[in-house]
Amino acid sequence: MSKKIIIPVIMRLLTFIILFAPIFEMITISEAESKRIVFVSNIHENKEFYTSFIHSVNRMPVYEYYRIVDGHFTIYKTSFYAYGAGMPDFQDYNQKPYLKDGMVHIDNLNIEMDSFSIFVGRVADHSLNIDNKTYKLSDFIEPGKTAHFKIQKVSLFALLRRLNHE
């Protein structure tokens, strides 16, 4: 084969690899059914963020705090205003809740997960606070569907596509 054919083929192949090879480890949120990535955020050890929602019974906010540890999500704390249906029981985690500023806090949970899912409610107003920004999950995932959080490698193409949609 001549160089006129080989060089363009190699260039196309390299471009394809650079664009589509999953090489960047990121926190991703995808729509669970389609697996379409709708949000990405950089990752580093001990990175922290929290999710929040309005409890369906007592109509008060609930906060769940996460940290990245050894490539996993770790829930390390939760805070809420009142116990209600579906709220964690401190005895399940061998922790003692305490009251501060009118809220119940449970610290030192250290629940490790590879991934987790949040059903995006129609009334719960689920949100994500990460990198000093707050995002409504309903802006990414249709209410009534599930947001799946995962740490995974993504391609440059996925990153560029996501950045162009923000």
Side-chain angles (χ1 to χ4, degrees):
M1 284 190 169
S2 73
K3 288 183 181 182
K4 288 182 180 183
I5 295 174
I6 292 175
I7 291 176
V9 168
I10 290 173
M11 294 303 290
R12 286 186 184 127
L13 183 61
L14 286 173
T15 301
F16 182 82
I17 290 170
I18 289 169
L19 282 175
F20 297 103
I23 56 175
F24 301 99
E25 191 166 52
M26 307 290 276
I27 296 170
T28 64
I29 302 174
S30 57
E31 196 275 320
E33 290 177 11
S34 69
K35 300 195 182 344
R36 181 177 58 90
I37 294 173
V38 297
F39 180 86
V40 293
S41 180
N42 66 344
I43 183 175
H44 58 78
E45 191 70 10
N46 294 318
K47 179 174 187 156
E48 295 183 0
F49 64 94
Y50 66 89
T51 59
S52 65
F53 64 94
I54 304 301
H55 192 277
S56 63
V57 176
N58 62 31
R59 302 284 187 213
M60 299 299 284
V62 176
Y63 302 94
E64 294 176 333
Y65 296 85
Y66 300 83
R67 183 179 290 131
I68 304 299
V69 179
D70 295 329
H72 301 283
F73 296 106
T74 300
I75 298 178
Y76 67 92
K77 178 171 91 169
T78 186
S79 301
F80 48 91
Y81 284 94
Y83 278 101
M87 295 306 299
D89 184 354
F90 66 90
Q91 292 176 346
D92 293 343
Y93 304 106
N94 296 319
Q95 298 298 327
K96 293 186 178 185
Y98 62 93
L99 291 173
K100 180 180 177 187
D101 300 326
M103 293 183 78
V104 177
H105 298 270
I106 303 174
D107 291 342
N108 300 313
L109 292 173
N110 298 319
I111 301 167
E112 187 176 292
M113 305 171 293
D114 289 329
S115 64
F116 65 96
S117 296
I118 294 176
F119 180 78
V120 179
R122 300 184 194 286
V123 179
D125 197 28
H126 288 91
S127 64
L128 166 69
N129 186 292
I130 191 166
D131 299 328
N132 297 315
K133 293 181 184 173
T134 300
Y135 303 93
K136 290 187 177 292
L137 289 183
S138 61
D139 288 343
F140 305 115
I141 306 286
E142 180 183 338
K145 298 203 175 205
T146 301
H148 186 68
F149 289 68
K150 188 175 182 181
I151 297 170
Q152 67 182 41
K153 291 186 178 184
V154 298
S155 68
L156 179 60
F157 178 77
L159 289 175
L160 292 172
R161 189 178 78 198
R162 184 62 220 134
L163 290 174
N164 287 330
H165 288 96
E166 281 190 357

